[in-house]
Amino acid sequence: MNAKPDGNQMPPEHQEMPLIEHLLELRNRLLKMVLAVIICFAAIYPFANELYLWLSEPLRSLLPVGQTMIATDVTSPFFAPLKLALVLAVFVAIPIILYQLWSFVAPGLYAHEKRLAFPLLFTSVLLFYMGAAFAYYVVFPLVFGFFTAIGPEGIVELPDISSYLNFVLKMFFAFGVAFEIPIATILLILTGATTPEDLAEKRPYVVVACFIVGMLLTPPDVISQTLLAVPMWILFEIGILCGRLARREVDEQDSDEPAGE
């Protein structure tokens, strides 16, 4: 028949669930995600101005005495903190969003897939937050120090609050995604798309690719490009190591499972 080996059987209720129930379940999950973002936004928005001051501190602390940031658009003092609050709301709600996605797909996963999927999901959230924190505490002071020191003499620096927000959000996203490299590497290994040995042989090409990505995702200066490329390469090496361990664990589990009839 269509029976699968023991331990790999899909839950019967998931197999028999009609399409309309899947769509209703997906709709409910999406509504919960949107509600989580709205609740986070409502809690964050009253502090939007204070949060913007905190976010702009790496640049404001480097400006000469008496100089500050400006708003070149009439609506910028309102929309810049509003945009920041909305992005932070999504940022804070990411664990809830991913949990809802996990709850939707988990019933259709095999037991050994669940054992790997949840740790990878949790680690991906943690790595994204670590990437954003690395950008704020390490990259921003160096990058803004470089920019404020390299300008021509006699030029008064008055950064626009909207332009600054767009810049830092782009950097947060770039470093957050870059820190997901170990997860992507592990998934490629576990799905059989490649092997740790193949990835290790392609290391020189990966290093070059890391610097190319750093050039595309960061401002046109060597400091920020290097600060993104080097962690990407280190995370790639960590991904290879973790991929070897994960593949070994999967192979051991497969060898322990009884063969199907």
Side-chain angles (χ1 to χ4, degrees):
M1 299 289 188
N2 293 327
K4 298 181 183 294
D6 292 340
N8 284 340
Q9 201 85 358
M10 276 187 166
E13 65 273 13
H14 185 79
Q15 293 176 337
E16 299 171 1
M17 185 181 292
L19 176 61
I20 187 66
E21 291 190 25
H22 279 296
L23 294 176
L24 289 174
E25 175 72 8
L26 178 60
R27 183 200 65 178
N28 292 335
R29 297 293 178 187
L30 291 174
L31 288 176
K32 290 178 181 179
M33 296 178 201
V34 174
L35 181 61
V37 173
I38 292 174
I39 292 174
C40 291
F41 175 77
I44 291 173
Y45 182 69
F47 309 99
N49 289 334
E50 290 79 2
L51 288 170
Y52 191 94
L53 290 176
W54 170 79
L55 185 65
S56 60
E57 177 61 23
L59 177 58
R60 291 188 299 107
S61 62
L62 296 171
L63 293 176
V65 177
Q67 294 183 18
T68 184
M69 301 180 71
I70 63 171
T72 57
D73 193 303
V74 176
T75 59
S76 293
F78 172 75
F79 281 110
L82 178 69
K83 181 179 179 179
L84 174 60
L86 183 58
V87 172
L88 284 178
V90 176
F91 192 76
V92 172
I94 283 179
I96 300 174
I97 293 172
L98 291 179
Y99 173 77
Q100 294 300 325
L101 292 174
W102 164 259
S103 300
F104 180 72
V105 302
L109 299 177
Y110 298 126
H112 68 281
E113 291 174 334
K114 288 183 181 180
R115 285 195 294 268
L116 288 172
F118 188 77
L120 289 176
L121 187 67
F122 174 80
T123 306
S124 66
V125 176
L126 182 62
L127 286 172
F128 188 88
Y129 286 159
M130 288 175 60
F134 181 82
Y136 181 83
Y137 291 105
V138 178
V139 178
F140 287 177
L142 295 174
V143 170
F144 295 142
F146 172 79
F147 284 154
T148 54
I150 202 174
E153 194 173 331
I155 299 298
V156 178
E157 296 189 29
L158 297 173
D160 175 64
I161 60 174
S162 294
S163 299
Y164 175 82
L165 179 61
N166 292 334
F167 173 83
V168 297
L169 291 180
K170 177 183 175 182
M171 295 288 285
F172 280 146
F173 180 77
F175 279 86
V177 172
F179 271 58
E180 299 294 328
I181 287 179
I183 303 299
T185 304
I186 293 172
L187 291 177
L188 287 173
I189 294 172
L190 292 179
T191 56
T194 186
T195 64
E197 294 74 21
D198 289 339
L199 290 175
E201 290 178 359
K202 295 180 174 62
R203 183 177 287 112
Y205 304 102
V206 171
V207 173
V208 174
C210 288
F211 277 92
I212 292 175
V213 172
M215 176 185 66
L216 296 175
L217 295 182
T218 60
D221 67 278
V222 177
I223 295 177
S224 56
Q225 293 171 10
T226 304
L227 287 174
L228 180 58
V230 172
M232 287 174 64
W233 171 58
I234 295 174
L235 291 167
F236 169 75
E237 299 293 341
I238 294 174
I240 293 178
L241 176 61
C242 295
R244 284 196 177 101
L245 298 176
R247 189 182 65 173
R248 187 180 306 164
E249 182 179 348
V250 170
D251 292 341
E252 290 175 355
Q253 290 175 355
D254 291 342
S255 61
D256 292 338
E257 289 181 356
E261 297 295 334

